[in-house]
Amino acid sequence: MTRNVHEPPVTPNPLRWRILGFLGVAQLMLILDVTVVAIALPNIEADLGLGRQAVTWTVSAYTLTFGGLMLLGGRAADLIGAKRVVLAGLLVFTAASLVTGFADSAAPLLGGRIAQGVGAALLSPAALSLVVHLFDGDERNKALGIWSALGGGGAALGVLLGGLLTAGPGWPWVFYVNVPIGLIILVALARMLPASPATAPRPGLDVLGALLVTASSAALIYAFIRAGDDGWLTLATGALVLLAAVGYLAFVARQKTAKSPMMDVALLARRPVATGTFLILMATALMIAVFFLGTFYFQHAEDFNALQTGLLFLPVALATMLGAHLTGQAIGTAGARLLAVTGLLTAALGMAVPAVSMHPATVVIGTAVAGAGTGALFVVASATALGQVAPHESGIASGIVSTFHEFGASIGAAVISSVAATSLVGATLSGFTNGFILAAVAAAVSAGAAAILTPGRAR
C-alpha cells in the first residue's frame, strides 16, 4: 500500500492491526537485545573475562552494525520490497542469536553481536516502512505511538527480562530466547504480509556508502571508548574523531556521485527529518545512559543480583510506556515542539535526581522520571520525521530514523562508560555521579535546541 497522503483513500488492509502486532514484537525483540544484554553484562564480564572496552563493545558492536547498515536496509526495502527484507532480516537475526548464545570468549561473542546487528539493520527499517504504508492519517499517528511505546517500554522491560534469564538459566539465554520467538514471527509474517513491490525507480545498493558510514561511526565510537582510559584530549582520540569526520564527508560525496545512492542527502536538510533524527538520537543516548549507569550501580556498588536489578527497573519500563502513550494521544493537539521540550526537560530532571543524591531509592525514582521523558521523545521523533514522506522515500526515511536510534545507543554507551570508568573498575561512586550529571546537562541543552528546531504542529 504505497500512496501519498493527498491521494484519494483506498480500502485499508483488514489485517493491518494484527500485522502491526507481529511487527511490533519483532521490533521489540531488536530493542530488547540492547537492554536485555545490559543487565547480563556483569555476568558476561566475569564468565568470559572481558575488560571494560570489551564490555562496552558488547553493546556497541550490535548497535553500531545495526545503525551503520540501517540505511542500506531501508534502501533495500525500497528496491526489492519491504516484505522480503523483513523476512530476511528476521531469519539472520534469529540465527545469529543462537550463535551468540554459544559464545565462550570475546571474539565469538562480538562476532555474533555484529551478525545480530546485520539482521536487525534489515528488519527494522523495512518493518517501520510497512507500518507507514499500512496506516494513514490519525491511524498512522496511533500506530507510530504504539510502535514507539513498544520500543521505549521494551527497552526498559529488557532489563527485567535480562534479570530473570541471567539469574535463572544463565546469561546465554538472553540470546537463546530470541530463537523460538523469531521463528514464530517469521512464519506468521510470511503468511500475513501483503506483497510489497519495490517503490524505488532503479535497482542497485550502495554498499560502499554503507561501509563508509559504518566505518566512520566505528572510528567515532572507538574514540569515545578509548577516551575513558587515555583521556579526552589526547592525540589518539583527536585523530580518531578526525578520521570519522573525513569518513562522513566521503559518505556525503559518495551519495552525490553513486549511480544508486543510499539516500538523498538533501533529505536530512528538511526540517522535520533533521529534527526527528536529532530527537531520536538524544532519546536513545539518554535511555542507554539510564540502563548502563543503573545496571552497574546496582550490581557493582550495591551488590544487588541480576534479578533484583531487573525488578528495580520495572518502574522505568512503566514510566517509559506511559510517557510514549500519553504523547501519542496528545501530539495531534499539543504539537511536537511543546512535547519535545517537555520530554527533554523531564529527562533532565530525572537524571539530576541521582546526580544530587546517589541512593538506590533516588536512582529508581530519577531513572523512572527520565524514562517518562525519553518515552515521549520516541513518539515525537517518529511522528516528526515520518509524518509526511513520499511513498518512494518511506523506506529510507524510516532507515534514517532507525539509524540515529542505534547511533544514539552506541554513542551513549561509549560516552557514559568512559565518563563512569572510575566507578566501573573501582569502588568509588564519582564516576556514576559524573555520568548522571553529563546526561542531565545534555538533556537540558537539547531542550533549548528542540525549542528552536521542532515544528509547532504535527500533521
Side-chain angles (χ1 to χ4, degrees):
M1 194 182 289
T2 59
R3 63 186 181 86
N4 191 284
V5 293
H6 298 297
E7 295 177 0
V10 298
T11 303
N13 189 308
L15 298 177
R16 63 192 182 282
W17 290 106
R18 191 175 301 176
I19 292 172
L20 175 64
F22 280 103
L23 290 175
V25 174
Q27 175 71 3
L28 177 64
M29 189 167 59
L30 305 185
I31 302 302
L32 280 173
D33 231 58
V34 178
T35 54
V36 75
V37 172
I39 194 71
L41 282 178
N43 294 76
I44 297 174
E45 177 187 27
D47 286 354
L48 302 186
L50 304 181
R52 185 188 67 82
Q53 292 192 15
V55 168
T56 305
W57 276 116
T58 304
V59 175
S60 294
Y62 173 69
T63 55
L64 177 60
T65 311
F66 191 173
L69 299 180
M70 192 79 72
L71 293 174
L72 194 65
R75 182 64 175 163
D78 287 339
L79 291 170
I80 64 177
K83 178 179 179 178
R84 295 186 184 93
V85 177
V86 163
L87 297 180
L90 188 56
L91 182 61
V92 171
F93 180 85
T94 303
S97 297
L98 181 62
V99 172
T100 309
F102 283 114
D104 58 0
S105 65
L109 175 72
L110 297 182
R113 292 293 280 166
I114 290 171
Q116 283 186 301
V118 172
L122 294 173
L123 172 57
S124 185
L128 187 52
S129 176
L130 283 169
V131 173
V132 173
H133 283 163
L134 289 169
F135 298 91
D136 195 16
D138 290 338
E139 277 197 348
R140 179 186 288 183
N141 284 335
K142 291 178 182 178
L144 289 174
I146 294 172
W147 184 268
S148 300
L150 285 171
L157 287 173
V159 184
L160 176 59
L161 178 62
L164 291 170
L165 293 173
T166 303
W171 66 260
W173 281 89
V174 304
F175 303 110
Y176 292 153
V177 72
N178 294 329
V179 178
I181 297 174
L183 292 176
I184 291 171
I185 298 174
L186 182 67
V187 173
L189 290 180
R191 299 183 60 183
M192 294 171 56
L193 281 176
S196 51
T199 58
R202 56 187 177 184
L205 289 174
D206 182 19
V207 178
L208 177 58
L211 293 176
L212 280 172
V213 74
T214 305
S216 301
S217 302
L220 185 63
I221 299 305
Y222 186 45
F224 290 150
I225 293 174
R226 281 181 57 100
D229 297 325
D230 302 337
W232 291 90
L233 301 178
T234 63
L235 180 61
T237 301
L240 286 168
V241 172
L242 179 61
L243 179 63
V246 171
Y248 286 132
L249 290 175
F251 170 74
V252 172
R254 169 68 181 175
Q255 297 313 290
K256 293 181 178 180
T257 58
K259 291 183 178 180
S260 183
M262 292 172 61
M263 62 175 290
D264 179 3
V265 180
L267 193 63
L268 281 173
R270 298 182 192 175
R271 183 180 176 187
V273 177
T275 302
T277 54
F278 165 70
L279 293 177
I280 202 76
L281 185 144
M282 287 305 306
T284 316
L286 291 170
M287 178 189 72
I288 287 297
V290 165
F291 296 129
F292 205 98
L293 291 172
T295 294
F296 279 93
Y297 166 72
F298 287 133
Q299 295 191 58
H300 275 194
E302 299 295 336
D303 291 327
F304 293 140
N305 61 35
L307 179 57
Q308 291 171 322
T309 301
L311 290 172
L312 287 171
F313 272 98
L314 185 57
V316 182
L318 297 176
T320 304
M321 290 187 288
L322 180 62
H325 174 70
L326 294 178
T327 303
Q329 290 186 324
I331 193 168
T333 55
R337 181 187 300 132
L338 175 61
L339 295 175
V341 173
T342 301
L344 283 164
L345 290 178
T346 302
L349 175 62
M351 294 293 193
V353 172
V356 173
S357 174
M358 186 73 64
H359 182 274
T362 56
V363 171
V364 170
I365 293 172
T367 53
V369 172
T374 57
L377 284 182
F378 284 123
V379 176
V380 176
S382 297
T384 301
L386 302 175
Q388 295 181 10
V389 293
H392 69 280
E393 296 174 326
S394 60
I396 196 60
S398 301
I400 290 172
V401 172
S402 300
T403 294
F404 279 83
H405 184 286
E406 299 312 313
F407 282 172
S410 299
I411 293 171
V415 172
I416 286 298
S417 73
S418 293
V419 172
T422 56
S423 292
L424 296 179
V425 298
T428 177
L429 295 179
S430 61
F432 295 132
T433 299
N434 292 336
F436 280 114
I437 291 174
L438 175 63
V441 171
V445 171
S446 297
I452 299 172
L453 297 174
T454 311
R457 296 287 177 183
R459 294 184 182 181

